[in-house]
Amino acid sequence: MTLPVALSGKDVIGQAKTGTGKTLGFGLPLLERVTVPADVESGRAVPEKLTNAPQALVVVPTRELCTQVTNDLLTAGKVRNVRVLAIYGGRAYEPQVEALKKGVDVIVGTPGRLLDLAGQKKLDLSHVRALVLDEADEMLDLGFLPDVEKIIQLLPPKRQTMLFSATMPGAVIGLARRYMSQPTHISATSPDDAGATVANTTQRVYRAHSMDKPEMVARILQSEGRGLAMIFCRTKRTAADIADQLAQRGFASGAVHGDLGQGAREQALRAFRNGKVDVLVCTDVAARGIDVEGVTHVINYQSPEEEKTYLHRIGRTGRAGASGTAVTLVDWDDIPRWQLINKALDLGFPDPPETYSTSPHLFEELNIPAGTKGVLPRAERTRAGLSAEQVEDLGETGGRGRKSAAPAAAAAVREERPARTRTPRQRRRTRGGTPLEATATVAAPLPPSAEPQFQTAEPQFQTAVPMDVPASVERPAEARTPRRRRRTRAGAGSGAGSGTPAVETTTDPVASEPVAAESVAAESVAAESVVAEPVLPEPEAEPAAKPRRRRTRAAKPAADTAAPVEAAAVTEPVDAPEAPVAETKPRRRTRVAKPVAEAAEPVAAEPADGTAEAPVAATKPRRRTRVAKPAAEAVEAAATAEAPEAEAEALPKPRRRRTRTTAAKTES
C-alpha cells in the first residue's frame, strides 16, 4: 500500500502493527530516488545530479534501531551500490567524518550526533531530497521535538517527508502535518486482526510479588519449546540486577540499557542474534524496532508505563507471521496502571490472578515441566555465553561504559607493543654519593687479579697517610668525600676537615674529670671564643678511632665557673684576687664580637707563664660559635675585681635553658 504513493514523491504517514515490514516500506522508495553512478551509465540520470553529499535522511530514536535500519538498507541497495552510513552517538567522530568526506548517498542517524556534525560543518544536508522519521510518535515526543525541528530547518524546503510508526496518536498526526504537504495517511491492518495487538501472540498476565519474580522468571524460561527470550524492565538498575541473577542460575544472559557503553550494548545484541546468548534483559531502549529472528517469549518483568510501550514490547515476538508468547508480571502497586493499559487496548485482563512460582496454573498455562526449579540443570547449559562475543573497540566518547571495552583494548595494545630490547640500567653501589672503589684505603698498587673490587675489611676513611711510604710510589688521587655535619658542643669537634686526632685523656683540676686533648689545646683561647684547629698527631703516632660523643648536659659548677677563672688568668697577674663568679648561663648560638677576636692573637702567641710554646696559628673564627657573650662579660667583671663579693651574689639568677653548649674546661 505504501510503495505506489511513496514512489510518486508524495508525503506519507504510514501506520501498521509491529513486524509488518515498515522498514522496507520507506526504504525501497528512498533507494529508488537516490542518484548513483549506475543511473548515469544507464542513461536514467544526468551527471549533474551526482554528488557526494547525502540525498536521503532517516532519523531514528535509538542507536540499536539505527544499526538495524542501516543493515537492512545496505542489503536492499547492494545491487545498485548505494552508500549507506550510520551516524549515532557513543562512537568516535573520526570514522564517521572520514566516511562523509568519501561520499554518502543515504544517512541513518540519531538526532544528537546529526546536530553535532552539522554544527561542525562536517555534514551537509542541503542536498537531501527525502526525509523519513521512523518511530515518528517517539521522534515527535516532547524529548526529541526540539532536535527534530532543528534538523528540519537545515533541510531544503522542497523535499519528501514520510512518517512511520506502529502507534500514531491523533495529537502526533496533527503535529506532523506542520512539516508535511498534503500527506497521505495509510493504516495497514489484516482483515482477521482487528485488535491493536498481533493475533499470533499469546498474552498472559499474572499478579506477582516482587521478591518471587526472579524465581518465576527462571521457571518460565525453562518452558517447553522456548527459543530466544527478551525480558523488559522499567529501570536500568533492575535490568542489570536481573541479568546477573539469571547468569548465576545458569542461563546465558546479556543486558542492554543506557548505563552500558555502546560497545557493550552492541556486544550483547550480536551475541543475542548469533545464539550465544538466549536471554536478553533490557529496558525500553530495545523495545522499538528491534527485529531478531527466533524470539518466542517476551516477559514484562515490570509493568510498562503506557499502552504504547506495551505494544512495542510484545511486538518483539510474533513477527512476520510467527507465533509468540507474552507474559506480564504485575506487582500489587502497579495494578492501577495496568488497568488503564488494559482498558485502552481492550485486552480482557482487568484483574490478573495472584500467582507464585509454585502455582499450578503457571506450570499448566506456560507448558513448564513439573518439578522444574529455579536453576538451569547443567546438562542444558549449552550456550557459549556473553563472554564468547568479543567487544568491539568503537572509540567511545563520554565516561560511561569505558570499563566494558577497556580490557579488550588493553589486550590489543599489549599484543602490538614490541618486546623490550634495551638492557636495564645497572645500579652501582655508592656510599655518601661516592663509589665504593674511591673510598677504598690508599695502598700500594696490586695486580688486577689479586686486588678485590671492594675492600671492606679496611677502614672507610683514612685521611692521615703513613709517612713511611717511599716517595717513588705514586699515591692515587683521593676522592673527595662529602662533609658530614655533626652536632658539636662549643666548636670542640671542629676537626672534620683535618685528620682524625689522637685522643689523650688528662685530668681537669677544676672539674676532676677526664677531658680530650683537643679541649686542652683550645683552652688558651677559650676566653676570646676563638676556636683553634686541633693539633695533628705526630707522624709516628698511630691514629686512633675518634670516640663517640654523647649528648649530655654539662654539670652546672664546671660550666659556670670555667669561663670566669680562665678570663682572670689572662687579664690579671697570677696573684690577683679571684674574680666574682658569673651565674649566667651561656647563650646559645651567639656570634663572636670582632674586638675580642682581634685581641686573641697576642694572647695566643705569648702565654702568661712565659714558657716557650709553639705558636698557635690564628685562624678565622668559625661561624655560629656557641661560646660568646658570657665570656666577654666575665672579662669586664674581672677588670673590676674590687667589687664586693656580696654584690655579685645579689645579681638575679637567670633562667636556665636547655642548650647544647658546654663550656671548655680550663686550668685554674
Side-chain angles (χ1 to χ4, degrees):
M1 296 174 65
T2 307
L3 292 180
V5 180
L7 287 173
S8 64
K10 296 183 179 179
D11 293 353
V12 177
I13 298 177
Q15 181 179 356
K17 294 183 180 181
T18 57
T20 56
K22 291 188 297 297
T23 302
L24 293 182
F26 64 78
L28 294 179
L30 287 184
L31 298 176
E32 287 294 329
R33 289 181 61 85
V34 170
T35 303
V36 294
D39 298 335
V40 178
E41 295 175 0
S42 61
R44 291 184 298 176
V46 295
E48 288 76 10
K49 289 188 177 182
L50 286 177
T51 177
N52 287 330
Q55 305 174 41
L57 176 63
V58 182
V59 185
V60 294
T62 63
R63 302 173 183 177
E64 287 73 22
L65 183 57
C66 179
T67 57
Q68 178 177 303
V69 172
T70 303
N71 294 332
D72 293 342
L73 294 182
L74 284 173
T75 303
K78 186 179 299 183
V79 177
R80 302 185 65 222
N81 293 327
V82 179
R83 298 170 294 181
V84 184
L85 175 63
I87 294 181
Y88 56 93
R91 300 182 67 115
Y93 283 87
E94 290 77 8
Q96 299 176 359
V97 174
E98 292 296 329
L100 290 175
K101 290 181 179 179
K102 294 179 181 179
V104 177
D105 297 325
V106 180
I107 285 184
V108 184
T110 54
R113 182 56 65 90
L114 289 175
L115 288 177
D116 286 347
L117 294 179
Q120 299 175 14
K121 306 299 182 182
K122 307 292 184 182
L123 176 61
D124 183 15
L125 298 177
S126 61
H127 296 79
V128 173
R129 305 177 195 172
L131 169 66
V132 177
L133 299 182
D134 195 10
E135 304 295 340
D137 59 332
E138 183 76 10
M139 296 305 303
L140 297 181
D141 198 1
L142 295 180
F144 286 101
L145 183 58
D147 293 343
V148 172
E149 290 179 345
K150 293 179 182 178
I151 293 175
I152 291 177
Q153 291 175 1
L154 300 175
L155 302 178
K158 293 183 179 181
R159 66 180 183 277
Q160 182 184 13
T161 305
M162 293 183 284
L163 308 182
F164 285 85
S165 179
T167 54
M168 195 72 68
V172 175
I173 294 178
L175 186 63
R177 292 180 185 274
R178 294 169 44 190
Y179 309 108
M180 306 176 73
S181 174
Q182 298 180 354
T184 301
H185 188 184
I186 299 175
S187 180
T189 56
S190 300
D192 57 346
D193 193 1
T197 59
V198 181
N200 294 335
T201 302
T202 302
Q203 303 179 53
R204 301 292 181 183
V205 184
Y206 302 107
R207 182 185 299 181
H209 196 277
S210 58
M211 299 184 67
D212 194 38
K213 284 182 179 181
E215 186 73 17
M216 292 181 63
V217 170
R219 298 190 180 190
I220 294 172
L221 291 177
Q222 300 181 51
S223 59
E224 295 179 356
R226 179 187 71 85
L228 302 181
M230 297 183 70
I231 302 176
F232 287 97
C233 302
R234 193 185 305 157
T235 62
K236 296 176 288 187
R237 179 173 297 180
T238 305
D241 185 30
I242 295 303
D244 293 340
Q245 291 191 35
L246 292 178
Q248 295 175 3
R249 293 174 182 265
F251 296 93
S253 62
V256 174
H257 53 83
D259 279 348
L260 293 177
Q262 188 60 30
R265 291 164 65 170
E266 294 188 8
Q267 175 200 21
L269 269 177
R270 285 198 310 269
F272 189 60
R273 294 179 188 274
N274 298 334
K276 299 177 181 178
V277 169
D278 62 341
V279 179
L280 186 66
V281 187
C282 49
T283 56
D284 291 333
V285 71
R288 288 180 174 267
I290 301 301
D291 182 25
V292 180
E293 185 179 357
V295 177
T296 60
H297 285 67
V298 171
I299 301 175
N300 292 318
Y301 188 83
Q302 292 173 317
S303 177
E305 294 286 346
E306 54 187 2
E307 65 275 6
K308 292 189 303 181
T309 305
Y310 178 79
L311 288 178
H312 286 283
R313 282 184 178 183
I314 69 172
R316 300 313 100 205
T317 184
R319 300 177 66 85
S323 60
T325 302
V327 181
T328 304
L329 304 180
V330 184
D331 203 347
W332 267 259
D333 298 339
D334 295 332
I335 291 296
R337 180 185 290 110
W338 170 254
Q339 290 177 350
L340 294 176
I341 296 174
N342 177 77
K343 182 179 179 180
L345 300 177
D346 195 12
L347 299 177
F349 304 102
D351 191 12
E354 186 174 342
T355 308
Y356 297 94
S357 59
T358 56
S359 300
H361 64 273
L362 177 67
F363 287 77
E364 182 181 354
E365 294 177 357
L366 298 179
N367 297 326
I368 303 175
T372 302
K373 301 299 181 182
V375 179
L376 186 67
R378 294 188 178 273
E380 300 181 10
R381 302 180 184 180
T382 58
R383 303 279 180 173
L386 183 63
S387 58
E389 188 72 27
Q390 295 183 357
V391 181
E392 184 181 0
D393 186 11
L394 304 177
E396 299 178 18
T397 59
R400 296 187 301 178
R402 288 183 176 177
K403 295 182 180 179
S404 60
V413 171
R414 286 194 298 268
E415 292 178 0
E416 295 177 1
R417 183 179 300 170
R420 177 183 293 180
T421 57
R422 183 179 63 85
T423 304
R425 182 172 64 91
Q426 300 292 337
R427 302 184 64 86
R428 301 182 62 185
R429 294 179 58 191
T430 59
R431 182 174 289 120
T434 306
L436 293 181
E437 293 86 345
T439 59
T441 307
V442 177
L446 296 176
S449 60
E451 185 176 0
Q453 183 179 4
F454 301 106
Q455 300 180 6
T456 57
E458 298 191 14
Q460 176 184 357
F461 301 101
Q462 184 173 350
T463 55
V465 182
M467 301 302 296
D468 55 351
V469 179
S472 61
V473 179
E474 289 186 13
R475 299 187 183 91
E478 296 182 0
R480 180 180 179 183
T481 58
R483 177 181 178 183
R484 181 177 297 177
R485 300 183 64 87
R486 298 182 179 180
R487 293 180 177 178
T488 57
R489 294 171 182 156
S494 59
S498 61
T500 305
V503 179
E504 298 179 2
T505 58
T506 183
T507 305
D508 190 355
V510 178
S512 300
E513 294 180 1
V515 296
E518 59 189 31
S519 300
V520 178
E523 65 183 357
S524 60
V525 294
E528 290 79 14
S529 302
V530 178
V531 180
E533 293 288 339
V535 181
L536 292 175
E538 295 295 330
E540 62 272 6
E542 185 70 18
K546 187 176 182 179
R548 180 181 179 182
R549 293 181 175 273
R550 294 185 177 181
R551 297 176 58 187
T552 57
R553 297 172 59 184
K556 184 176 180 181
D560 295 338
T561 58
V565 174
E566 187 177 9
V570 176
T571 56
E572 295 292 333
V574 180
D575 56 351
E578 186 177 357
V581 179
E583 293 292 333
T584 58
K585 187 74 174 180
R587 291 181 63 185
R588 57 185 299 184
R589 296 174 60 178
T590 306
R591 298 186 179 181
V592 183
K594 187 173 182 181
V596 179
E598 294 175 355
E601 297 181 1
V603 176
E606 185 176 356
D609 53 358
T611 58
E613 187 177 350
V616 180
T619 59
K620 188 177 181 180
R622 279 191 65 189
R623 196 175 180 181
R624 294 172 58 181
T625 306
R626 299 181 180 178
V627 180
K629 193 172 182 179
E633 293 177 355
V635 174
E636 296 179 2
T640 57
E642 295 82 9
E645 189 171 348
E647 184 177 357
E649 295 178 356
L651 295 175
K653 187 175 181 180
R655 181 181 177 183
R656 184 176 183 181
R657 294 183 179 178
R658 182 179 178 182
T659 60
R660 302 174 185 174
T661 307
T662 304
K665 300 177 180 62
T666 57
E667 295 182 1
S668 59

